Amino acid sequence: MRRKLFNDLYQHLPKKEFTILTGARQTGKSTLLRDLENECKKDKLPTVFINLENKELLSLLDANPLNVLSFISSQDQRTIVFIDEIQYLGDPSNFLKHLFDDHVSRIKIVASGSSAFYLDDKFRDSLAGRKRIFQLRTCDFEDFLTIQDKVELWNEVLNIRKLPGYKSLMIDRLKVEWERFMIYGGYPSVVTEPDIKEKKEILSEIRNSFIKRDILEAGVRNELVFHQLFKILAEQTGQLVNFNELSNTLRVRSETIHNYLRVMQVCFHVALVRPFYSNLRKELVKMPKVYFLDNGLRNSLINNFQDIPSRSDRGELWEQTLFRILADQHDLDHIRFWRTADGKEVDFVLPDVENPFAIEAKFNRNLIKESKYQVFQEAYPAIEFNFGYLYPWSEDFFRRNLFKGFAQT
């Protein structure tokens, strides 16, 4: 089954701008390029597929960007050239710029690349107006179900959303799938692996081997400290990032912590959420919070795959999951948190979206104490305030506003 980003990518193929597909390693970028290539062939569009892990092809294109034109046979149509792992080129930004400026009428490039490409400042500067970036994250719940060929469960989610009084005969199955989604995350190879032990092994491989490649390509010097920081952040998901404290704990400079965190962000593993404040005198928190972009990676780092009800970190895990839901619907820069010096806080505030709202994550509805959030509501009456809770489990879970971004498709 195809990822839902496929449709957006396919619709962009006729556009003049080059198409750039980005995302963490092992999120399925290569598979998605192959799906696009196959669809183009069905539509009888001329295509070329170049995988730059092939050293001969890499050497050829590094020698001269115009060598890519030798693979084009069509003189009547613009050829779609798929380039996988474009970051291996010596100067990928110049390669794309040169082909766009001089040969855009003959060639449409659809390229995937890992983080090393996007660490290059020239990518942003020289390709302005020449490319559109699409980010492929690990699976959200819709992709999680559909790539397992459980489309009937996703259709049931849509039925629940459409019919206010609808009682689902599949609600218990949806609960099992949702909890598995929270524990093992959305890497496609993990999602499609039925054996639990193998799921853990695949996550371990991603955690060790593939992230090691990110470390090498980013030029990180101290791999041990990087991994130690990664694990600490996994244990502290949803908490404030105190750079000085981390620096003292790991015995490295604060600048090193900042640099390693930047690498983790550019590699699409973590996101930093900034504080929201207006002019309340007590709003003086400046440190960001950290969240992971995949629960499975986070749980692998802390080696905790326990069932949700028995987990000591179930509240943090739910908050982490709620962040990912919001990240799939909104620009990361729009997600903030609110906290005062005396400890009052709201987990997520989105003040810059069309209809501003805030959500406090609570694992269980019985844990909610509404009076704790009165200060925020009085200070920001124009921001709609809601609670996002996981239990008690019912159809209403999929009817709440936190799902309105992707459950209406």
Side-chain angles (χ1 to χ4, degrees):
M1 299 293 292
R2 291 169 175 165
R3 302 286 296 275
K4 63 182 181 182
L5 186 61
F6 173 90
N7 292 331
D8 292 338
L9 291 168
Y10 193 76
Q11 290 171 11
H12 194 252
L13 292 181
K15 304 296 184 183
K16 182 179 179 180
E17 297 84 3
F18 289 169
T19 304
I20 307 296
L21 179 62
T22 180
R25 297 184 191 275
Q26 297 296 293
T27 52
K29 297 188 295 297
S30 299
T31 300
L32 198 45
L33 289 192
R34 286 295 186 185
D35 288 342
L36 287 166
E37 180 196 27
N38 291 335
E39 193 68 18
C40 288
K41 287 180 177 179
K42 288 180 184 178
D43 293 341
K44 302 190 183 308
L45 299 174
T47 65
V48 174
F49 196 103
I50 299 173
N51 186 341
L52 290 182
E53 288 190 327
N54 182 317
K55 301 302 181 184
E56 291 184 10
L57 292 175
L58 176 61
S59 178
L60 183 68
L61 298 193
D62 259 339
N64 188 338
L66 295 182
N67 285 334
V68 75
L69 300 177
S70 64
F71 296 104
I72 295 175
S73 59
S74 174
Q75 300 298 318
D76 303 322
Q77 288 179 279
R78 192 183 188 205
T79 298
I80 301 171
V81 179
F82 296 95
I83 302 180
D84 200 15
E85 305 286 6
I86 197 172
Q87 79 278 356
Y88 290 134
L89 286 173
D91 193 346
S93 296
N94 182 65
F95 174 88
L96 293 172
K97 181 179 183 297
H98 185 44
L99 288 172
F100 185 92
D101 289 348
D102 296 338
H103 302 281
V104 71
S105 62
R106 293 188 61 195
I107 189 171
K108 162 78 176 202
I109 288 183
V110 181
S112 74
S114 74
S115 57
F117 181 29
Y118 305 98
L119 284 165
D120 183 0
D121 290 335
K122 289 187 293 184
F123 171 74
R124 292 190 301 272
D125 298 337
S126 65
L127 294 176
R130 299 176 175 90
K131 91 296 187 185
R132 180 175 171 190
I133 300 174
F134 295 82
Q135 183 177 343
L136 181 66
R137 292 197 175 108
T138 59
C139 296
D140 65 8
F141 193 54
E142 178 180 352
D143 279 341
F144 177 86
L145 293 177
T146 54
I147 71 168
Q148 295 182 80
D149 203 19
K150 296 178 179 178
V151 180
E152 79 282 0
L153 285 178
W154 179 249
N155 288 335
E156 189 69 355
V157 171
L158 298 181
N159 286 336
I160 291 169
R161 285 289 299 175
K162 292 173 184 175
L163 305 170
Y166 180 67
K167 285 291 184 181
S168 173
L169 295 175
M170 300 182 184
I171 193 65
D172 289 337
R173 287 179 63 194
L174 284 169
K175 180 174 182 286
V176 169
E177 295 296 337
W178 182 264
E179 291 185 347
R180 190 171 295 158
F181 172 62
M182 286 182 62
I183 294 170
Y184 297 102
Y187 281 98
S189 57
V190 177
V191 174
T192 55
E193 171 55 57
D195 185 78
I196 295 299
K197 183 179 179 181
E198 283 301 310
K199 286 180 183 289
K200 297 176 184 177
E201 288 297 324
I202 294 169
L203 282 167
S204 177
E205 178 71 8
I206 292 171
R207 181 193 69 205
N208 297 328
S209 299
F210 289 101
I211 291 175
K212 184 182 181 71
R213 292 171 66 181
D214 288 332
I215 291 171
L216 291 173
E217 289 184 9
V220 170
R221 295 181 179 179
N222 194 326
E223 184 179 337
L224 176 61
V225 169
F226 187 95
H227 277 288
Q228 288 174 332
L229 176 62
F230 216 13
K231 184 174 181 180
I232 289 172
L233 295 176
E235 293 169 343
Q236 298 179 354
T237 183
Q239 296 183 28
L240 296 175
V241 179
N242 188 322
F243 292 96
N244 290 332
E245 185 178 287
L246 290 170
S247 174
N248 292 333
T249 299
L250 296 173
R251 298 182 179 181
V252 294
R253 295 185 304 169
S254 179
E255 291 82 358
T256 300
I257 302 297
H258 279 275
N259 180 48
Y260 288 2
L261 263 169
R262 177 175 175 264
V263 171
M264 292 175 193
Q265 289 177 272
V266 174
C267 294
F268 309 101
H269 298 312
V270 306
L272 296 183
V273 175
R274 304 291 173 182
F276 164 71
Y277 54 89
S278 181
N279 45 27
L280 280 182
R281 293 176 63 188
K282 294 181 181 180
E283 295 171 349
L284 45 73
V285 174
K286 295 182 180 179
M287 290 181 287
K289 284 186 175 184
V290 65
Y291 292 95
F292 276 68
L293 287 166
D294 186 81
N295 278 5
L297 176 60
R298 182 257 178 183
N299 289 334
S300 181
L301 283 163
I302 64 174
N303 194 29
N304 186 350
F305 295 100
Q306 288 180 288
D307 293 339
I308 290 174
S310 60
R311 295 178 70 111
S312 60
D313 68 338
R314 55 187 176 271
E316 291 86 349
L317 183 61
W318 167 235
E319 183 180 332
Q320 163 71 46
T321 305
L322 184 51
F323 165 77
R324 173 56 198 268
I325 293 171
L326 294 173
D328 286 333
Q329 299 178 32
H330 303 280
D331 190 300
L332 287 175
D333 290 337
H334 289 162
I335 305 173
R336 307 288 188 87
F337 72 93
W338 179 81
R339 184 165 179 166
T340 64
D342 59 357
K344 296 181 178 65
E345 65 178 307
V346 173
D347 290 325
F348 303 110
V349 183
L350 288 86
D352 300 321
V353 298
E354 184 176 354
N355 297 303
F357 67 96
I359 293 183
E360 174 68 12
K362 290 297 179 187
F363 180 76
N364 193 303
R365 183 175 59 192
N366 297 330
L367 300 175
I368 294 173
K369 297 179 180 179
E370 296 191 26
S371 60
K372 290 178 61 177
Y373 308 96
Q374 187 175 349
V375 172
F376 177 84
Q377 292 175 276
E378 290 177 350
Y380 303 102
I383 298 179
E384 180 184 355
F385 180 82
N386 290 291
F387 293 99
Y389 55 88
L390 181 60
Y391 294 122
W393 180 263
S394 74
E395 291 84 355
D396 286 340
F397 177 76
F398 295 107
R399 295 188 179 115
R400 293 179 204 133
N401 286 340
L402 63 95
F403 276 102
K404 63 186 177 184
F406 70 85
Q408 298 285 3
T409 57

